[in-house]
Amino acid sequence: MKLQVAMDVLTKDAALTLAGQVAEHVDIIELGTPLIKSEGLSAITAVKEAHPDKVVFADLKTMDAGELEADIAFKAGADLVTVLGAADDSTIAGAVEAAKKHNKGVVVDLIGVADKVTRAKEVRALGAKFVEMHAGLDEQAQPGYDLNGLLRSGEEARVPFSVAGGVNADTIGDVQRAGADVAVAGGAIYGAEDPGLAAKKLRSAIA
């Protein structure tokens, strides 16, 4: 299982600092949506130039103009981009076309999708590299939230998937046992006193 850091910071400098602290322990470096909205495509380019050996994941959360948005992110240096699972099939297919042109990949983010299992199978058939079983920060803040619903959806869908939404040292073992291809850790890394050490511990927890 691969480890992905979600960098939900707001400046390019903060992203470069965080990436530098954790890069040796992670496989995928994700630029969070707020970071890209705050700093633009230049943040993608800067992180890729600083870490050319890492997979750079641009969390665009595209909802329309899939081919166009994916194309500009790939040209900026992204290796993977996200399209929302709630988007029209044509939007996802368009992003996949751009990915093929650049030899890159599209991840379909299932945040807000009620039937994640069915949609996961559909978007995989459209050409998604993998799907992200994702609960956003707002959903995680609701009383009673836990990760198990995402894990069950991933197990049932039987397609390549990542999990994002409460992955930490206590839950990463469950994520791996569920068969996830990628564990996405955000606050557990960037919110730690020592992000590098936190990423190292998560890496060590992956058998």
Side-chain angles (χ1 to χ4, degrees):
M1 184 173 70
K2 293 181 179 179
L3 180 60
Q4 175 174 323
V5 58
M7 301 196 301
D8 289 328
V9 295
L10 297 180
T11 68
K12 189 190 308 181
D13 287 345
L16 287 169
T17 297
L18 178 58
Q21 291 172 314
V22 306
E24 67 178 299
H25 307 298
V26 304
D27 305 288
I28 304 171
I29 299 175
E30 174 191 336
L31 286 78
T33 314
L35 171 61
I36 295 173
K37 287 184 175 181
S38 176
E39 291 281 23
L41 296 172
S42 65
I44 300 172
T45 305
V47 171
K48 186 62 179 179
E49 288 179 347
H51 302 281
D53 59 324
K54 298 296 177 181
V55 174
V56 172
F57 183 116
D59 190 17
L60 300 182
K61 292 190 174 72
T62 291
M63 190 64 181
D64 191 21
E67 185 168 4
L68 174 61
E69 291 199 1
D71 186 67
I72 61 175
F74 291 138
K75 286 178 178 175
D79 300 296
L80 297 171
V81 301
T82 51
V83 179
L84 290 177
D88 191 78
D89 285 0
S90 62
T91 301
I92 296 169
V96 169
E97 282 304 308
K100 289 177 180 176
K101 183 170 66 176
H102 293 279
N103 196 28
K104 305 291 187 178
V106 170
V107 179
V108 174
D109 186 340
L110 299 179
I111 188 171
V113 173
D115 186 351
K116 289 180 170 57
V117 174
T118 297
R119 192 58 174 151
K121 295 175 181 177
E122 291 171 348
V123 301
R124 175 65 173 168
L126 290 170
K129 188 175 183 68
F130 59 91
V131 301
E132 186 169 286
M133 299 296 175
H134 185 191
L137 296 174
D138 293 340
E139 183 179 346
Q140 292 177 53
Q142 298 302 307
Y145 169 76
D146 67 52
L147 195 61
N148 291 323
L150 298 180
L151 301 184
R152 286 192 295 270
S153 293
E155 289 177 310
E156 189 177 342
R158 297 186 179 276
V159 301
F161 72 99
S162 64
V163 175
V167 175
N168 54 44
D170 294 327
T171 61
I172 196 166
D174 294 332
V175 174
Q176 186 170 29
R177 284 187 289 274
D181 297 86
V182 181
V184 184
I189 293 178
Y190 68 73
E193 185 174 341
D194 185 337
L197 180 59
K200 183 179 181 179
K201 288 181 176 178
L202 287 171
R203 165 62 67 195
S204 298
I206 299 174

